[in-house]
Amino acid sequence: MTIQQQIEQLRKQINEHNYQYYVLDDPLITDSEYDRLFRQLQQLEKDHPEYLTPDSPTQRIGAAPLAEFSQVTHHIPMLSLDNAFDDTEFTAFYRRVLERLNTPEIEYACEPKLDGLAVSLHYEDGHLVRAATRGDGYIGEDITQNVRTIRAIPLQLRGNDYPSLLEIRGEVFMPKSSFNALNERASQAGEKLFANPRNAAAGSLRQLDSNITAERHLSFYCYGLGAVAWEPWPWQTHSETLAQLKQWGIRVNELSQVAKSFEECCQYYQSLMQQRASLSYDIDGVVFKVNSYALQQTLGFVSRAPRWAVAYKFPAEEEMTELLDVDFQVGRTGTLTPVARLKPVFVGGATVSNATLHNMDEIARKDIKIGDTVIVRRAGDVIPEVVSAILSRRPSDARDIVLPLKCPVCDSEVLRVAGEAAARCTGGLVCSAQRKEGIKHFAGRKAMDIEGLGDKLIEQLVQVNLLHTVADIYQLDVLKLASLDRMAMKSAQNVMDAIEKSKSTTLAKFIYALGIREVGEATAKSLAKELGSLEAVQQASEEALQEIADIGPIVAAHIHHFFQQPHNVDVVQALLKAGIHWPQEVKGEQSQSLQGKTYVLTGTLQRMTREQAKERLEAKGATVSGSVSKQTTAVIAGAAAGSKLTKAEQLGVAILGEEDLLKLLD
Ligand code: IVH
């Protein structure tokens, strides 16, 4: 094969893997295999620059910064959508459409409303030649260089049966993981944080230097067409068009669906609202589009929005309200967390009157004062937080938020360690707030799992001095419990039963329950697995602890320090004496019943995510691979499994279903 052929073959392979990954959501190879191909191509192109083409997958960065963006005219205007903010408004839209069309029922294409920025992509003879922002809908800005850095957007279409001109329209957005990483970097550099992924995406797309855009890891989904060279367009519906675009390598949202009735539309809306928090990107509603192009045409447009579509918005996750005051809450490890007391506001589907301000550094960075009008965010089950203050509305009597010098609960001194964001109460076990939080943690579901010993009960028990340390839990009796407010004999007995039951646990849960700073569930598991016994953990030196995966010097120091404290040793002794026990850990490994076996996961599993399945298989010693080969023990196929299933069939590799997987894991 000539060098040129090798280069072309590599490009084809990489483009195909991009397609598998972004469009089909079904990668055939691991990231490291992909990187290897990519580097191979980069090397060949470096050695033979004469074969470099602008379409090569390696050519996604490195354009020289622009002085300004040039303007682009949209020959077909980029319109906006009408919104429906509640059930009544959506029902009104639905009815209006049926009345205008004079029909009892029609089909809708349903899609998530992505929270990003609209872009137009021009493909000429299959090559991405121009990308533009929406601008005012008629004239946008040329952001081709920036868009070329987005890997989810193909530089070249697949196949060869596409129109000579194809204008794709869709949304560029920043995945939540990219957003968090970006803000993490900004925070470390002491820079201003982006308020949300949408703002971050906007800021990243309007960079004159495309190298910056490339670092921001944006993504893209297509939701429609602009100008095309084919007249008439051969497909009759929006959903058929999207399916065709997918064939050409354009990424279409996998949650897009067709609904055939009002009920189905409502179900889709509810289902997306449920999934919202767990998606890897922000959505702010559902877009419903009349599926048939003929009917779309009949309906037409009013001013700047189509009559055939609506954006049915989810309840807003951010609202404005007033910051009335700030209290400091003391956590399990003494951390003082500033908590905003707010004028109650309805946000993210609930009324919020408290929100976290995280720590003093965050308050300083966001420049928040008492009396400010602030933006509060409540997304899914995440604790509500104050995102920012609206400085233009700051009243003249706004007050600074001051860290107290003494713990608001136990009056001990408050310390701020240099280099740490948190301020801490130095009271330790003297501080009833720390004790309460420590006991809550100990009794929690992921720790000793004492059902019925909830926050309120623990607070009471600490208040009346029945609980001083976690070991005291095992000194409680029915009479003591029943003497408390709102505690009948029956419920007291239930709590006692749960306490008794909790004595049988695992070493990992016990270590986690102790509430050692920085020791979460995963670290506790590693400690149990690697060291095998509590004595070994207690006696391990900081050096020995650092040998364990994921334990660095800071965590090692916390663990070591914890077991050096006589009062901690006493509590641990008392717990063991009370009868807490666990099965012996097999040091260094679990039952490795799947040692030497290799599995490939594909499709959607019902009972767990692919990631969870992978973890559990690996915990049993199996290898989980991204690609099917003759060496694969079996392919585990969930719903809508694609090419990997076909490949397994071709190679005669065993195919298992979800039930088989559960049996393997059992
Ligand atoms: S269709 C004529 N579909 O929402 C219809 N828009 O409020 C044009 N958006 O500017 C838009 N997800 O940036 C459509 N699945 C989706 C969308 C979507 C997000 C954005 C888009 C548009 C804005 C309109």
Side-chain angles (χ1 to χ4, degrees):
M1 215 185 328
T2 65
I3 299 286
Q4 192 176 8
Q5 283 168 330
Q6 277 181 48
I7 288 183
E8 271 161 17
Q9 195 188 16
L10 275 169
R11 285 181 190 154
K12 216 167 154 187
Q13 267 178 303
I14 291 170
N15 283 336
E16 202 54 30
H17 286 306
N18 277 343
Y19 172 69
Q20 287 286 340
Y21 183 86
Y22 288 109
V23 181
L24 301 184
D25 191 22
D26 192 17
L28 294 179
I29 57 171
T30 60
D31 289 358
S32 57
E33 286 171 276
Y34 178 91
D35 291 342
R36 203 170 43 74
L37 290 176
F38 200 86
R39 279 197 303 270
Q40 223 174 322
L41 176 60
Q42 272 177 325
Q43 191 60 48
L44 280 175
E45 286 176 342
K46 197 169 150 219
D47 297 342
H48 305 274
E50 65 276 23
Y51 299 131
L52 200 59
T53 62
D55 266 347
S56 170
T58 59
Q59 296 307 296
R60 287 188 177 272
I61 44 169
L66 301 171
E68 59 173 4
F69 295 110
S70 48
Q71 293 195 332
V72 173
T73 305
H74 302 300
H75 293 293
I76 300 180
M78 292 182 78
L79 301 168
S80 59
L81 291 168
D82 273 340
N83 292 320
F85 288 103
D86 57 33
D87 187 36
T88 322
E89 289 181 8
F90 178 64
T91 313
F93 161 83
Y94 202 92
R95 215 174 272 144
R96 234 173 13 242
V97 168
L98 292 184
E99 275 166 17
R100 272 186 180 269
L101 295 173
N102 196 16
T103 161
E105 201 49 279
I106 55 161
E107 224 174 69
Y108 277 94
C110 321
E111 296 162 6
K113 182 163 195 303
L114 304 156
D115 208 1
L117 296 105
V119 293
S120 141
L121 310 174
H122 272 258
Y123 286 89
E124 278 174 25
D125 297 321
H127 300 282
L128 175 66
V129 293
R130 200 173 62 234
T133 60
R134 173 170 181 271
D136 63 4
Y138 300 95
I139 294 176
E141 285 176 324
D142 188 327
I143 49 162
T144 313
Q145 288 192 2
N146 294 344
V147 163
R148 284 176 60 90
T149 69
I150 304 173
R151 292 219 187 170
I153 295 179
L155 299 177
Q156 193 177 356
L157 298 178
R158 287 179 89 239
N160 47 23
D161 58 341
Y162 37 71
S164 56
L165 168 69
L166 179 68
E167 184 192 352
I168 297 295
R169 290 182 175 178
E171 197 88 344
V172 166
F173 60 94
M174 186 176 281
K176 291 176 188 170
S177 57
S178 311
F179 171 73
N180 291 335
L182 174 63
N183 263 357
E184 181 67 27
R185 287 199 303 269
S187 156
Q188 257 154 30
E191 289 164 8
K192 222 172 132 40
L193 305 190
F194 285 102
N196 54 47
R198 209 199 91 84
N199 289 358
S204 306
L205 210 50
R206 292 199 74 263
Q207 288 287 336
L208 291 166
D209 182 354
S210 60
N211 289 294
I212 299 180
T213 316
E215 287 165 5
R216 301 288 176 84
H217 300 288
L218 297 170
S219 197
F220 172 81
Y221 282 117
C222 161
Y223 53 63
L225 281 183
V228 281
W230 283 351
E231 192 63 56
W233 181 246
W235 289 273
Q236 318 298 318
T237 61
H238 180 70
S239 56
E240 285 170 314
T241 294
L242 293 186
Q244 173 58 64
L245 296 179
K246 242 174 119 161
Q247 297 287 320
W248 288 331
I250 299 291
R251 191 164 188 234
V252 171
N253 194 285
E254 52 273 11
L255 301 170
S256 307
Q257 258 179 35
V258 171
K260 292 184 186 323
S261 65
F262 180 72
E263 285 67 37
E264 282 184 28
C265 287
C266 293
Q267 272 165 17
Y268 183 83
Y269 178 83
Q270 290 301 335
S271 141
L272 242 63
M273 190 138 69
Q274 295 288 319
Q275 294 177 63
R276 183 184 192 185
S278 62
L279 296 178
S280 59
Y281 46 86
D282 270 356
I283 62 175
D284 60 354
V286 169
V287 183
F288 292 99
K289 301 172 183 170
V290 169
N291 202 17
S292 147
Y293 288 140
L295 296 180
Q296 284 187 7
Q297 203 143 33
T298 311
L299 288 162
F301 298 84
V302 244
S303 64
R304 301 188 54 191
R307 278 207 196 87
W308 44 262
V310 72
Y312 185 2
K313 303 291 275 289
F314 292 142
E317 287 184 328
E318 288 186 1
E319 284 297 348
M320 254 179 342
T321 188
E322 206 178 306
L323 175 56
L324 304 175
D325 205 352
V326 173
D327 289 338
F328 285 82
Q329 231 166 42
V330 184
R332 170 168 60 86
T333 56
T335 312
L336 262 66
T337 305
V339 178
R341 304 295 173 210
L342 305 165
K343 191 167 158 201
V345 60
F346 192 75
V347 53
T351 301
V352 169
S353 41
N354 302 311
T356 182
L357 285 156
H358 299 292
N359 55 55
M360 294 309 288
D361 285 354
E362 284 276 310
I363 291 174
R365 188 165 42 228
K366 292 175 182 165
D367 183 15
I368 294 171
K369 292 185 197 277
I370 296 168
D372 272 344
T373 298
V374 292
I375 292 178
V376 181
R377 179 173 173 81
R378 178 183 181 272
D381 294 332
V382 184
I383 299 170
E385 61 165 350
V386 176
V387 180
S388 57
I390 300 171
L391 298 183
S392 59
R393 296 208 188 184
R394 176 163 288 168
S396 54
D397 61 349
R399 287 183 289 131
D400 282 340
I401 300 167
V402 189
L403 179 72
L405 299 172
K406 297 279 176 71
C407 170
V409 177
C410 73
D411 218 29
S412 300
E413 212 184 319
V414 167
L415 259 192
R416 272 193 90 175
V417 182
E420 263 186 48
R424 265 172 230 288
C425 156
T426 52
L429 289 176
V430 171
C431 180
S432 68
Q434 290 190 45
R435 293 205 321 266
K436 278 178 194 164
E437 295 307 314
I439 297 169
K440 287 179 194 170
H441 172 84
F442 182 87
R445 210 160 40 82
K446 293 177 186 169
M448 301 304 282
D449 193 15
I450 310 178
E451 219 184 304
L453 191 57
D455 292 2
K456 288 267 149 20
L457 185 54
I458 291 172
E459 277 169 25
Q460 252 195 86
L461 287 164
V462 173
Q463 214 67 54
V464 299
N465 272 321
L466 277 172
L467 286 187
H468 213 77
T469 75
V470 292
D472 299 334
I473 293 174
Y474 297 93
Q475 305 305 320
L476 292 170
D477 58 44
V478 178
L479 291 179
K480 282 183 191 158
L481 278 174
S483 71
L484 297 172
D485 283 355
R486 274 178 276 153
M487 250 307 181
M489 279 303 267
K490 176 92 173 59
S491 34
Q493 187 56 52
N494 287 344
V495 174
M496 285 309 297
D497 291 347
I499 291 174
E500 193 54 37
K501 206 171 118 201
S502 75
K503 289 181 182 171
S504 168
T505 183
T506 64
L507 176 56
K509 286 191 172 205
F510 182 74
I511 295 172
Y512 172 71
L514 292 176
I516 305 167
R517 265 177 73 184
E518 307 281 341
V519 177
E521 267 184 295
T523 307
K525 270 188 200 152
S526 309
L527 283 167
K529 199 168 140 191
E530 294 301 321
L531 298 173
S533 72
L534 182 63
E535 296 72 42
V537 178
Q538 280 180 297
Q539 283 155 18
S541 64
E542 289 186 39
E543 292 73 32
L545 289 165
Q546 284 184 55
E547 306 251 302
I548 299 170
D550 298 333
I551 297 187
I554 294 175
V555 183
H558 284 318
I559 298 168
H560 186 72
H561 179 257
F562 181 92
F563 290 112
Q564 292 300 305
Q565 306 305 303
H567 62 86
N568 289 336
V569 176
D570 290 347
V571 168
V572 170
Q573 281 313 316
L575 288 169
L576 296 178
K577 216 167 135 219
I580 292 181
H581 61 276
W582 49 82
Q584 177 85 43
E585 288 280 332
V586 187
K587 194 173 156 186
E589 55 192 299
Q590 286 192 12
S591 97
Q592 298 278 297
S593 56
L594 300 178
Q595 187 86 51
K597 308 222 155 123
T598 304
Y599 295 95
V600 172
L601 294 159
T602 181
T604 312
L605 300 171
Q606 304 301 317
R607 314 279 178 86
M608 60 187 104
T609 63
R610 285 214 292 260
E611 197 44 47
Q612 287 165 335
K614 178 166 186 266
E615 254 173 41
R616 291 179 60 183
L617 286 166
E618 285 173 348
K620 289 201 175 281
T623 307
V624 176
S625 161
S627 52
V628 183
S629 73
K630 283 224 163 84
Q631 272 65 50
T632 309
T633 312
V635 167
I636 299 167
S643 53
K644 285 181 199 169
L645 186 58
T646 323
K647 184 139 186 224
E649 281 163 356
Q650 282 164 2
L651 294 177
V653 170
I655 295 166
L656 303 179
E658 187 158 355
E659 291 303 319
D660 305 311
L661 168 67
L662 293 173
K663 274 187 215 137
L664 277 181
L665 294 175
D666 203 8

